[in-house]
Amino acid sequence: MNLELAQFKADFFKALSHPLRIRILELLCDGDKNVNELQILIGSEGSAVSQQLAILRSKNIVYGTKDGNRVVYSLSDPMIKELLSITRQIFNNHLIDTISMLDKIHNEIE
């Protein structure tokens, strides 16, 4: 694996370590948005959204383009949408396995 790909992979998974960043990425999967749109959709303060966008930009996961007096944010690569979908499926499968295991333990205790 080349160093650039390894770094992107590490940065992507670090981005998933914060719920607000995950939500921003999910919203950007539906199309480009500015900070105000993201703030309204998330129901969070603009400064919190801006801070998380800055982190995502610094990791080259999203990029911003100037549109008049606003910056519009986009995913840096369309494959990020697929990565998010795969990651969500892995987490869901793990959650289902965990619930199944807990049910089994609970049934054994009774």
Side-chain angles (χ1 to χ4, degrees), residues 55-102:
I55 292 168
L56 292 169
R57 283 182 75 181
S58 72
K59 303 296 183 187
N60 296 319
I61 296 171
V62 302
Y63 67 92
T65 54
K66 200 80 158 139
D67 181 26
N69 61 351
R70 294 189 283 185
V71 177
V72 176
Y73 292 92
S74 308
L75 297 175
S76 63
D77 189 309
M79 293 297 288
I80 291 174
K81 186 175 183 176
E82 290 181 44
L83 283 172
L84 280 171
S85 177
I86 291 166
T87 303
R88 186 180 303 113
Q89 186 175 4
I90 290 169
F91 289 151
N92 285 341
N93 289 344
H94 179 69
L95 181 60
I96 289 168
D97 291 343
T98 302
I99 290 170
S100 175
M101 182 183 68
L102 290 173

